[in-house]
């Protein structure tokens, strides 16, 4: 799998390219978001690793651009960031990022992240499964060509061109359009159950046949209902069902199956109705020629407000040029034949030999002469013929051999033909029987009694040989048609079973953090948004607690990531044990957890959070030979009128968590209590601590950490430190020159590059100082940079001197 890495820093690109290359991944590179978009449009790239801070188009803007673009498949986005806090990560999440990695990169964390991405991309089968089901329905009619693909394309274009007002009223956003694009192919799913004699009929359907055809909408909805029973919250299944059952409703209420009127019809159904009719009009069928685009447009426009929603027709007109282009392109592509593997036919007999299932014909007649004549005549069909001279014997033969066609006389001693038919109907639950009655009866009441008993057809005595053979062959065709439907139904059931498995895996994947088994951050954001909406509606509280494991990096660095992962799993278990079943416990970052507590006040959640804090603090993490102690800090916030949006609520909890960390860790802070403690919007930079760190006797560079980040490759580690030795001083001089001229763009770029280089060689004080300079350059504030630059030069010089001394030694 090729990976696209996006960063404006050549040093970071070089390190990441080298690291990925050693892992065996081919790499493409881009230096800003615009260049990355060009690469994505050209090639089959499914995985992007992008820096957050870049010129022209930053990482957030790139995420949004990727999600808006109509690419060939889903693109998994990993965001590289040195930013801390849930609110920043939320910004990336809402923009479309899938995962985050902190700079400097740890190769082990990177590899785990890549493997997760590969699993998710490998499971990206929902679209294929939905499309496959649609193609299964379409495969019944080889005349439809690329109908599924065309309706899919038209549907998306119409939805995109809806007016802003219509989009706002109906909640149509990028996600809605994406789901509609995925599910629109299932509009005719129910046609798998329509008999070929009706579905493929070249002429006009009779009223009875049309009534059967109309049932495809209900059958499609019922098929999707089965999946919805298992996954009631799956939006794509909900929309697929709405599309299947409503795309033949008409705006004036004369459609089917429910006769819905106007805006009672779901918007997705109103959109697909236009796309479906347009494609039907412009496509050739055995019973009609294709209309021109112009003629089809006139026909559809005449249906405005009658058959179709006027708002959707307006969108259709706005999208007309693009629809015509897509129509021409897709008709040139032709029929797609390799979407699904072929579904194996059911075995025709216990030995598994392919071919038509033998029907077998049982003749029941008490007159031996007529019985002999019938047997000789029916042998011409090539089917196995069985005979019986009364009803009781006929039942024994039928139970032994299960013939599918029965020709019986009406009047016989013992059990007559009507009673024989009634007995067989009561037992033939698995294999239906075509029952033909031989009779001289003409009484209407008697015939109705026979029909009620289950007789399918009548032949008058004396019988005409040709007519009898014709009716027998019709019965054989009926039996074969039923067998064919069973095979197709079993194929559909197999596909549905596969879809259910895929859906189950996707559902779990969509809401669960793989490491801890808690809800993941995507589900956390969804739950928090939902709870805030409920709180707004019903006037009830909702409170969140954001918890972070203190000094977790030290655990990873000391004991390794495997032990760190075990600590995360244990902490997750402890949090679950200390919370209510109605609380949502989620992992929202590397070592960050979120507890969403609906209907609890801040005081009640404080008690719960303190239980969690004490449970972790009192727990001894015995992992292998390691005996580890850990603590957590927590920040709490509750929804108020001022904090009505879930994003604001989470941001305030994050600020309270920062205050808990700042105050010494292993404690709880409440956002509402922070006003007198510190100004959270202007947290002072801890420059004195950075300087003190730089002046300590410990080496300014940690070679073990560098070697680990370079995947244990000493030559690569040496190349990274040498690059820092040669380039870091140059970047400091550029920052100094840019400060003199107030060239904030150069200031930002040089500080960003130096921050990255220093982080990779573990010169943490220099990296943090460069980060602060970068932030001030973005804000175009020069005065705070001056003292920082002095400290930065000292730290860089100390690191360069240490590298030079080591190399000389």
């Amino acid at each position: 799998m090729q990976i696209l890495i996006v960063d404006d820093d050549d040093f970071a690109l070089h390190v990441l390219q080298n690291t990925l290359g050693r892992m065996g991944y081919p790499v493409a590179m881009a230096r800003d978001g615009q260049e990355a978009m060009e690469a994505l449009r050209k090639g089959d790239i499914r995985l992007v690793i992008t820096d957050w801070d870049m010129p022209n188009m930053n990482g957030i803007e790139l995420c949004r651009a990727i999600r808006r673009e109509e690419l060939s498949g889903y693109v998994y986005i990993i965001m590289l960031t040195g930013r801390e806090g849930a609110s920043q990560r939320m910004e990336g999440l809402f923009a479309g990022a899938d995962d985050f990695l902190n700079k400097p990169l740890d190769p082990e964390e990177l590899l785990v992240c890549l493997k997760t991405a590969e699993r998710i991309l490998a499971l990206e089968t929902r679209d294929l499964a939905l499309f496959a089901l649609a193609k299964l329905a379409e495969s019944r009619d080889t005349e439809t060509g690329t109908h599924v693909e065309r309706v899919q394309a038209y549907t998306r274009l119409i939805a995109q061109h809806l007016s802003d007002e219509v989009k706002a009223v109906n909640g149509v956003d990028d996600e809605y359009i994406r789901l509609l694009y995925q599910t629109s192919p299932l509009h005719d799913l129910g046609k798998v159950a329509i008999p070929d004699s009706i579905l493929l009929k070249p002429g006009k359907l009779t009223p009875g046949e049309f009534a059967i055809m109309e049932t495809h909408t209900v059958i499609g909805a019922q098929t999707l209902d089965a999946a919805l029973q298992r996954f009631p919250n799956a939006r794509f299944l909900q929309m697929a069902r709405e599309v299947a059952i409503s795309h033949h409703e008409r705006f004036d209420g004369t459609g089917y199956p429910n006769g819905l009127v106007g805006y009672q019809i779901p918007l997705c159904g109103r959109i697909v109705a236009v796309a479906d009719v347009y494609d039907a009009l412009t496509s050739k069928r055995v019973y009609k020629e294709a209309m021109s685009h112009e003629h089809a447009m006139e026909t559809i426009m005449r249906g405005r407000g009658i058959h179709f929603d006027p708002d959707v027709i307006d969108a259709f007109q706005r999208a007309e040029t693009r629809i015509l282009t897509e129509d021409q392109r897709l008709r040139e592509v032709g029929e797609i034949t390799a979407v699904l593997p072929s579904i194996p036919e059911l075995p025709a007999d216990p030995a598994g030999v392919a071919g038509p299932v033998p029907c077998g014909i049982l003749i029941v007649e008490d007159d031996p002469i007529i019985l002999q004549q019938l047997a000789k005549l029916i042998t011409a069909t090539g089917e196995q013929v069985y005979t019986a001279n009364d009803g009781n014997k006929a039942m024994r033969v039928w139970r032994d051999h299960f013939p599918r066609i029965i020709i019986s006389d009406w009047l016989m001693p013992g059990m007559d033909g009507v009673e024989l038919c009634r007995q067989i109907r009561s037992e033939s639950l698995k294999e239906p029987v075509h029952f033909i009655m031989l009779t001289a009866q003409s009484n209407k009441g008697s015939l109705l009694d026979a029909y009620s008993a289950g007789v399918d057809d009548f032949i008058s005595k004396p019988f005409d040989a040709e007519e009898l053979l014709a009716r027998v062959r019709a019965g054989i065709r009926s039996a074969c048609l039923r067998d064919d439907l069973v095979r197709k139904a079993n194929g559909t059931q197999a596909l549905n079973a596969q879809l259910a498995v895929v859906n189950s895996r996707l559902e779990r994947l969509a809401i669960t953090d793989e490491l801890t088994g808690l809800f993941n951050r995507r589900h956390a954001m969804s739950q928090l948004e939902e709870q805030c909406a409920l709180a707004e509606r019903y006037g009830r509280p909702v409170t969140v607690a954001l918890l972070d494991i203190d000094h977790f990096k030290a655990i990873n660095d000391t004991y390794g990531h495997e032990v760190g992962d075990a600590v995360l799993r244990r902490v997750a278990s402890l949090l679950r044990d200390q919370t209510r079943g109605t609380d949502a416990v989620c992992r929202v970052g590397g070592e960050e957890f979120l507890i969403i507590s609906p209907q609890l006040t801040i005081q009640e959640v404080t008690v719960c959070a303190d239980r969690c804090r004490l449970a972790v603090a009192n727990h001894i993490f015995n992992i292998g030979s390691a005996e580890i102690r850990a603590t957590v800090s927590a920040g709490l916030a509750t929804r108020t009128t001022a904090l009505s949006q879930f994003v604001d609520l989470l941001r305030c909890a994050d600020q309270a968590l920062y205050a808990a960390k700042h105050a010494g860790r292993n404690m709880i802070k409440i956002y509402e209590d922070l006003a007198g403690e510190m100004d959270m919007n202007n947290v002072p930079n801890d420059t004195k601590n950075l300087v003190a760190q730089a002046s300590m006797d410990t080496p300014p560079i940690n070679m073990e950490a560098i070697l680990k980040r370079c995947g244990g490759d000493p030559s690569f580690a040496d190349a990274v430190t040498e690059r820092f030795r040669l380039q870091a001083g140059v970047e400091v001089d550029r920052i100094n020159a840019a400060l003199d001229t107030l060239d904030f763009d150069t200031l930002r770029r040089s500080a960003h590059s130096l921050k990255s280089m220093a982080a990779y060689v573990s010169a943490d004080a220099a990296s943090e100082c460069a980060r602060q300079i970068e932030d001030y350059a973005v804000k175009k504030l020069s005065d705070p940079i001056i003292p920082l630059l002095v400290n930065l030069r000292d730290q860089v010089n100390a690191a360069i001197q240490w590298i030079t001394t080591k190399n000389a030694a």
Side-chain angles (χ1 to χ4, degrees):
M1 177 185 294
Q2 188 178 39
I3 299 175
L4 175 64
I5 53 178
V6 191
D7 202 318
D8 63 322
D9 181 7
D10 288 338
F11 179 82
L13 279 176
H14 170 72
V15 173
L16 188 52
Q17 180 189 25
N18 196 303
T19 302
L20 292 170
R22 288 197 315 277
M23 293 177 179
Y25 290 98
V27 173
M29 293 187 292
R31 284 171 173 77
D32 61 37
Q34 293 176 353
E35 188 178 333
M37 288 305 300
E38 292 175 5
L40 287 168
R41 293 182 186 116
K42 292 177 183 177
D44 187 21
I45 295 174
R46 306 287 302 283
L47 203 162
V48 173
I49 302 176
T50 179
D51 190 27
W52 186 301
D53 299 302
M54 296 182 295
N56 299 328
M57 181 188 288
N58 63 25
I60 292 292
E61 293 165 342
L62 174 60
C63 285
R64 294 193 182 106
I66 291 173
R67 296 305 178 223
R68 285 194 302 266
E69 190 79 12
E70 297 177 8
L71 300 171
S72 59
Y74 185 78
V75 176
Y76 193 92
I77 304 173
I78 300 171
M79 183 82 78
L80 302 181
T81 178
R83 297 169 180 255
E84 299 294 336
S87 57
Q88 287 81 11
R89 290 178 180 247
M90 274 181 55
E91 184 182 1
L93 179 64
F94 283 120
D98 293 286
D99 209 343
F100 298 88
L101 285 175
N102 289 323
K103 283 188 171 182
L105 287 176
D106 183 316
E108 293 180 3
E109 290 181 358
L110 174 62
L111 185 59
V112 170
C113 192
L114 293 175
K115 293 303 180 185
T116 300
E118 288 178 345
R119 283 196 298 272
I120 290 174
L121 290 173
L123 286 172
E124 195 213 339
T125 54
R126 182 176 75 182
D127 293 359
L128 178 60
L130 293 173
F131 190 77
L133 277 173
K135 293 300 287 184
L136 175 65
E138 186 184 76
S139 69
R140 297 286 309 288
D141 183 0
T142 57
E143 292 272 332
T144 55
T146 51
H147 172 69
V148 163
E149 293 89 335
R150 293 194 300 270
V151 169
Q152 214 178 14
Y154 306 155
T155 297
R156 175 161 59 186
L157 289 171
I158 293 170
Q160 288 173 340
H161 285 80
L162 290 169
S163 69
D164 292 340
E165 182 181 356
V166 172
K167 287 181 178 179
V169 170
N170 294 277
V172 176
D173 53 13
D174 290 343
E175 174 67 8
Y176 181 97
I177 294 172
R178 185 175 66 83
L179 284 176
L180 183 55
Y181 177 79
Q182 292 171 337
T183 56
S184 59
L186 291 181
H187 64 283
D188 281 338
L189 174 63
K191 285 186 176 179
V192 296
I194 303 301
D196 285 350
S197 59
I198 296 175
L199 184 66
L200 306 181
K201 185 176 180 179
K204 184 178 180 180
L205 298 179
T206 67
E209 291 169 336
F210 191 77
I212 294 174
M213 178 65 83
E214 286 182 347
T215 63
H216 82 273
T217 56
V218 177
I219 293 169
Q222 290 172 343
T223 302
L224 292 162
D225 279 336
L228 276 166
Q229 287 177 2
R230 294 191 60 188
F231 309 111
N233 297 320
R235 284 188 63 198
F236 71 96
L237 288 175
Q238 294 168 353
M239 183 176 286
R241 185 194 185 281
E242 289 184 342
V243 167
I245 200 166
S246 68
H247 71 286
H248 281 294
E249 299 287 356
R250 293 170 60 101
F251 205 70
D252 62 359
T254 61
Y256 64 86
N258 296 317
L260 300 179
V261 179
Y263 301 111
Q264 294 176 347
I265 308 168
L267 177 62
C268 54
R270 286 178 264 149
I271 294 173
V272 172
V274 176
D276 188 35
V277 170
Y278 173 77
D279 187 68
L281 293 174
T282 56
S283 299
K284 182 180 179 180
R285 297 289 185 267
V286 293
Y287 53 86
K288 74 173 190 69
E289 293 297 320
M291 280 188 186
S292 67
H293 168 74
E294 292 74 19
H295 191 184
M297 286 294 295
E298 291 175 5
T299 302
I300 286 177
M301 292 307 299
R302 286 197 298 271
R304 187 180 192 273
I306 301 171
H307 188 162
F308 306 116
D309 177 359
D311 294 328
V312 176
I313 292 298
D314 293 344
F316 182 70
Q317 283 185 291
R318 287 190 286 269
E320 180 180 357
T321 302
R322 291 193 61 190
I323 286 174
L324 185 57
T325 301
E326 279 295 288
D327 177 64
Q328 293 170 344
R329 181 183 69 81
L330 288 169
R331 291 184 192 278
E332 290 173 0
V333 169
E335 184 69 34
I336 295 175
T337 58
V339 175
L340 276 177
S342 59
I343 298 171
E345 295 278 329
L346 290 178
D349 55 45
V353 179
V357 179
C359 289
I361 300 174
L362 170 61
I363 304 172
V364 190
E365 172 62 64
D366 61 330
D367 186 328
I369 297 175
I370 297 177
L371 181 63
Q372 184 178 9
Q373 290 176 339
L374 285 170
K376 184 176 180 181
L377 179 64
I378 299 301
T379 302
T381 62
E383 295 288 344
Q384 176 68 48
V385 175
Y386 306 94
T387 59
N389 55 17
D390 62 51
N392 291 319
K393 184 177 179 182
M395 285 299 301
R396 291 194 296 271
V397 172
W398 180 79
R399 290 175 181 138
D400 289 340
H401 302 285
F402 292 104
R404 304 284 295 284
I405 312 296
I406 297 178
I407 305 170
S408 174
D409 189 20
W410 187 315
L411 301 175
M412 295 183 295
M415 182 187 297
D416 66 12
V418 173
E419 182 59 27
L420 172 63
C421 181
R422 189 176 287 113
Q423 287 281 344
I424 288 176
R425 291 297 183 214
S426 68
E427 296 185 25
S428 61
L429 299 178
K430 183 178 179 182
E431 298 292 345
V433 170
H434 190 79
F435 201 103
I436 302 173
M437 185 76 81
L438 292 172
T439 180
Q441 290 272 12
S442 59
N443 181 273
K444 183 178 179 181
S446 298
L447 294 177
L448 288 176
D449 288 341
Y451 270 121
S452 298
V455 173
D456 295 289
D457 203 353
F458 292 90
I459 292 287
S460 298
K461 283 186 175 182
F463 59 84
D464 179 85
E466 291 183 1
E467 181 184 358
L468 176 62
L469 282 177
R471 292 178 184 269
V472 169
R473 289 194 175 101
I476 294 172
R477 284 198 303 273
S478 176
C480 291
L481 176 61
R482 191 267 175 190
D483 294 338
D484 185 52
L485 289 174
V486 168
R487 284 194 292 273
K488 289 178 179 178
N490 277 275
T492 304
Q493 290 172 3
L495 191 57
N496 282 338
Q498 294 171 13
L499 178 60
V501 172
V502 170
N503 281 337
S504 177
R505 296 173 68 188
L506 286 170
E507 196 77 9
R508 289 195 302 271
L509 184 66
I511 67 172
T512 306
D513 173 63
E514 187 174 5
L515 177 64
T516 62
L518 299 178
F519 292 129
N520 61 18
R521 63 172 172 264
R522 285 182 182 275
H523 190 63
M525 299 306 104
S526 174
Q527 284 289 300
L528 186 54
E529 183 177 19
E530 180 181 336
Q531 290 301 329
C532 283
L534 291 172
E536 173 73 24
R537 180 179 302 172
Y538 299 111
R540 64 194 191 193
V542 57
T543 306
V544 298
L546 193 62
L547 299 92
D548 184 89
I549 302 176
D550 300 323
H551 303 295
F552 185 72
K553 185 176 184 300
I555 295 175
N556 272 337
D557 291 345
T558 304
Y559 301 100
H561 288 277
E562 187 174 346
V563 172
D565 287 349
V567 170
L568 286 170
R569 285 191 290 267
R570 298 268 184 94
V571 169
S573 178
L574 291 170
L575 296 182
R576 271 196 302 260
D577 291 342
Q578 301 302 320
T579 51
R580 306 176 303 165
T582 53
D583 295 332
V585 184
C586 318
R587 183 185 177 206
V588 294
E591 62 271 18
E592 283 186 338
F593 300 88
L594 177 68
I595 301 174
I596 304 170
S597 300
Q599 304 188 51
L600 289 189
T601 64
I602 192 72
Q603 293 79 15
E604 292 169 322
V605 174
T606 301
V607 174
C608 175
D610 200 50
R611 279 202 313 268
C612 294
R613 182 188 66 81
L614 290 173
V616 175
N618 294 331
H619 187 79
I620 300 175
F621 296 84
N622 292 307
I623 302 170
S625 59
E627 187 176 287
I628 302 169
R629 290 280 191 176
T631 59
V632 295
S633 300
L636 277 58
T638 192
R639 184 188 174 279
T640 63
T641 304
L643 299 179
S644 60
Q645 300 299 314
F646 76 99
V647 176
D648 298 327
L649 185 61
L650 194 57
R651 172 178 53 79
C652 292
D654 187 43
Q655 292 182 1
L657 174 60
Y658 183 91
K661 294 280 191 181
H662 187 80
R665 296 180 171 84
N666 190 22
M667 63 177 63
I668 298 170
K669 289 289 183 180
I670 300 171
Y671 176 76
E672 288 77 4
D673 298 338
L674 296 180
E677 298 182 16
M678 60 195 311
D679 181 1
M680 294 307 296
N681 294 319
N682 188 24
V683 178
N685 293 317
D686 202 358
T687 308
K688 292 181 180 179
N689 288 342
L690 292 174
V691 176
Q693 179 181 338
S695 63
M696 293 172 63
D697 293 334
T698 56
I701 291 178
N702 184 339
M703 286 305 299
E704 289 185 4
I706 297 173
L707 188 62
K708 183 178 179 181
R709 285 169 185 156
C710 292
D713 184 346
S715 61
F716 184 37
D718 289 342
V720 169
T721 54
E722 181 64 11
R723 177 79 175 267
F724 178 86
R725 187 182 72 81
L726 295 174
Q727 189 66 26
V730 175
E731 296 296 350
V732 172
D733 291 340
R734 286 178 180 167
I735 290 172
N736 188 54
L739 187 59
D740 289 340
T741 60
L742 295 182
D743 182 355
F744 288 107
D745 187 50
T746 301
L747 264 174
R748 187 206 64 79
R749 287 201 309 270
S750 293
H752 180 72
S753 178
L754 187 53
K755 175 187 72 174
S756 177
M757 281 192 290
Y760 273 103
V761 298
S762 299
D764 294 337
S767 179
E768 175 61 19
C769 204
R771 184 194 66 77
Q772 293 182 29
I773 292 175
E774 180 186 12
D775 287 346
Y776 283 120
V778 171
K779 298 174 183 176
K780 298 187 176 181
L781 299 174
S782 59
D783 289 346
I785 295 178
I786 297 172
L788 288 171
L789 181 58
V790 174
N791 293 327
L792 178 64
R793 188 180 295 278
D794 290 342
Q795 293 153 14
V796 168
N797 287 341
I800 291 174
Q801 181 62 41
W802 190 89
I803 294 172
T804 303
T805 303
K806 175 185 173 295
N807 290 344

